[in-house]
Amino acid sequence: MNPALLLYCRPGFEADCQQEFAARHPLEGHWHTGVGYVLFEADDSYELTQLHQTLDVTQLIFTRQILLALAKVELGERDRLTPITDALDALDSRYAAPWQAVWLEHPDSDAGKPLSGFCKRFGAIVEAALEKRKALDARRGRYRLHLFFTSMTEAWIALARPAQASPWPLGIARVRMPTGAPSRSTLKLAEALMMLVPEVEKKMKPGMVGVDLGAAPGGWTFQLVSHGLKVFAIDNGPMKGDMAIHPHVKHLRQDGFKFRPPNPVDWLVCDMVEQPARIAQLIADWFTRGHVRHAVFNLKLPMKKRWAEIERCFDLIDNALYSAGIDYELTAKQLYHDREEITCYLTRSKVR
C-alpha cells in the first residue's frame, strides 16, 4: 500500500477530525473511518509524505495522534510476531530500523479497550524481538514505531516523528484525580495546562491573580490555587470543600458575564455552559479591555457543524483582537476529559 495518515480521535468525532484536517490541508484523496480513528490515503503519496514531515499534532484540535501508516498486517491466531517482523523487513529503506521505541496501541473505543491487556503483554515480546535485531535505538532512531491493533488479527505498522507527535500513548495525557478536589472537572483544567500551555510553571506563578468564571463547585479554582494563585471565584452557586473556605479564594455570587475585575489579572479560566459564540465574545472582551493576559476556556459545541462553529468563534476572537491591535496566540484541543466541547488557551503576545 501507499503511505497513509493515521489519525486518532475521540470516538464519535471521526467526521470532525476529517473535516478539520481537510480544511487545513486540502489534499485530494480518500478517507477510511474506524471508531476512534481515521485513515487518509492521498492521491499523491509523495505530497502526503512531505506533509507528514511538517505536521504537528498540537496544531489540530480533534486529532490526538498523527502517524504515517505504511502497511496493514493480517495476523494469525498462533504466530502474530512473524507477520509483523516480515512486514517491518519489507519497509522502504527510508522508514527502516532503527526506531527510537516501539508502542503497541489500540483505538480508544469500546471495541478497542479489550485489546489493552493484549498490547501490554505482546509489547514485551515485540520489544525483545526488535532489540535482538538491534532495531531499537533511542539516540539514532529517527522515528518511533507504532503497531496499531484494530483487532487481534489485524494491525497497522505506522511511524511517528516524536518531536511533532503526541508524547503519550493513544495521544492521551493521563492525569490523576488530586486529593481534596471538589469535582472531577479539575482534571480538565489540569490536562489543559499540561497540553496547551508551554512552560506553564513560568506563566502561572505563586502570587498571581486569577478569575474563575462559573467556578462552582470549585474544580478549576482548585487548580489555580494549587499553582499558588489568588482567585476570584465567580458563580451564583456554592463552592464546596476547601474551596469554600480557602484564604486565597474570594467567592463572589455574581453573573460571570457581567463581572469584570477592578484591576487587570494574570489568568482567566471559564467553563460556563453557554453558547460557544457568546463565550468567545466574552473572552475577546476581557482581552480587548486589558483585563487579562492568559485565558483557558471551553467552547461547548453543537451536535452538528462543529468545525463551522469553531471557525466562527475563532473569527470573533480574531476580529476583536486584531481591531484592538493585540497580537495573540490561540491553541485548542479536544481533551480526553472534554466531551461535546473543546478547550482553548489564549495568550496576549504584545500590543502593536
Side-chain angles (χ1 to χ4, degrees):
M1 62 169 280
N2 290 325
L5 288 178
L6 176 60
L7 311 179
Y8 300 174
C9 63
R10 172 180 292 281
F13 287 79
E14 296 83 7
D16 306 287
C17 182
Q18 294 178 28
Q19 190 172 9
E20 178 191 10
F21 185 89
R24 296 181 185 274
H25 307 286
L27 301 181
E28 295 294 327
H30 305 280
W31 288 95
H32 305 274
T33 304
V35 179
Y37 68 95
V38 294
L39 194 79
F40 178 65
E41 294 185 80
D43 293 343
D44 186 336
S45 60
Y46 175 78
E47 189 176 11
L48 182 138
T49 54
Q50 290 299 109
L51 176 61
H52 180 250
Q53 302 295 313
T54 60
L55 282 174
D56 191 321
V57 71
T58 63
Q59 302 304 313
L60 292 169
I61 296 172
F62 292 105
T63 298
R64 291 177 173 177
Q65 183 63 285
I66 297 176
L67 304 174
L68 186 66
L70 300 174
K72 183 168 71 171
V73 184
E74 300 298 329
L75 307 173
E77 293 185 2
R78 294 187 177 182
D79 182 6
R80 295 184 174 90
L81 182 61
T82 300
I84 290 173
T85 54
D86 286 348
L88 292 175
D89 289 340
L91 291 180
D92 186 290
S93 59
R94 292 174 296 171
Y95 309 117
W99 303 289
Q100 289 188 13
V102 57
W103 289 7
L104 275 68
E105 297 179 310
H106 55 84
D108 179 39
S109 64
D110 291 339
K113 287 176 182 177
L115 294 167
S116 177
F118 162 75
C119 286
K120 290 178 182 178
R121 295 189 301 272
F122 190 49
I125 297 172
V126 173
E127 187 170 351
L130 295 181
E131 287 180 343
K132 186 176 181 180
R133 290 163 158 250
K134 300 188 183 303
L136 298 180
D137 191 315
R139 284 198 244 176
R140 292 176 52 236
R142 183 181 179 188
Y143 296 103
R144 183 174 63 227
L145 175 63
H146 288 245
L147 302 180
F148 181 68
F149 287 81
T150 55
S151 71
M152 295 289 287
T153 58
E154 180 183 276
W156 288 89
I157 292 177
L159 300 177
R161 295 175 61 85
Q164 294 154 228
S166 172
W168 297 287
L170 278 67
I172 298 173
R174 299 294 185 180
V175 292
R176 292 186 177 183
M177 182 69 181
T179 302
S183 70
R184 292 190 62 80
S185 69
T186 195
L187 297 173
K188 193 186 304 181
L189 184 55
E191 185 184 358
L193 296 176
M194 182 188 302
M195 294 194 68
L196 298 177
V197 185
E199 299 181 314
V200 63
E201 297 301 332
K202 293 182 180 179
K203 297 177 180 177
M204 187 173 279
K205 298 178 181 179
M208 287 183 168
V209 178
V211 172
D212 183 358
L213 300 180
W220 283 34
T221 296
F222 180 91
Q223 284 296 324
L224 298 182
V225 169
S226 297
H227 282 81
L229 272 66
K230 299 177 181 178
V231 182
F232 290 96
I234 313 302
D235 202 304
N236 284 315
M239 303 292 279
K240 293 184 179 180
D242 290 344
M243 296 303 97
I245 58 174
H246 199 286
H248 289 171
V249 177
K250 186 172 184 179
H251 180 202
L252 301 177
R253 292 180 178 268
Q254 297 183 23
D255 185 337
F257 283 95
K258 296 180 180 179
F259 173 81
R260 296 296 184 273
N263 299 297
V265 300
D266 302 289
W267 281 88
L268 170 69
V269 297
C270 176
D271 191 26
M272 292 193 291
V273 179
E274 185 52 81
Q275 293 294 323
R278 193 178 181 205
I279 296 295
Q281 194 63 58
L282 173 67
I283 300 300
D285 183 74
W286 273 67
F287 274 81
T288 57
R289 294 178 182 275
H291 292 315
V292 69
R293 179 66 183 270
H294 306 279
V296 174
F297 56 97
N298 276 349
L299 297 177
K300 316 293 183 181
L301 301 178
M303 294 299 294
K304 297 181 179 179
K305 298 183 178 180
R306 294 168 177 142
W307 177 245
E309 188 64 23
I310 290 172
E311 290 188 307
R312 177 190 176 202
C313 291
F314 286 6
D315 283 346
L316 283 171
I317 293 171
D318 181 71
N319 291 335
L321 271 61
Y322 181 82
S323 297
I326 299 173
D327 287 340
Y328 68 93
E329 296 175 15
L330 174 61
T331 53
K333 206 73 179 175
Q334 185 179 40
L335 304 174
Y336 178 75
H337 291 95
D338 285 335
R339 294 296 180 262
E340 301 287 331
E341 62 194 344
I342 63 171
T343 302
C344 309
Y345 169 56
L346 179 64
T347 181
R348 183 187 183 105
S349 299
K350 60 182 179 181
V351 179
R352 289 195 300 271

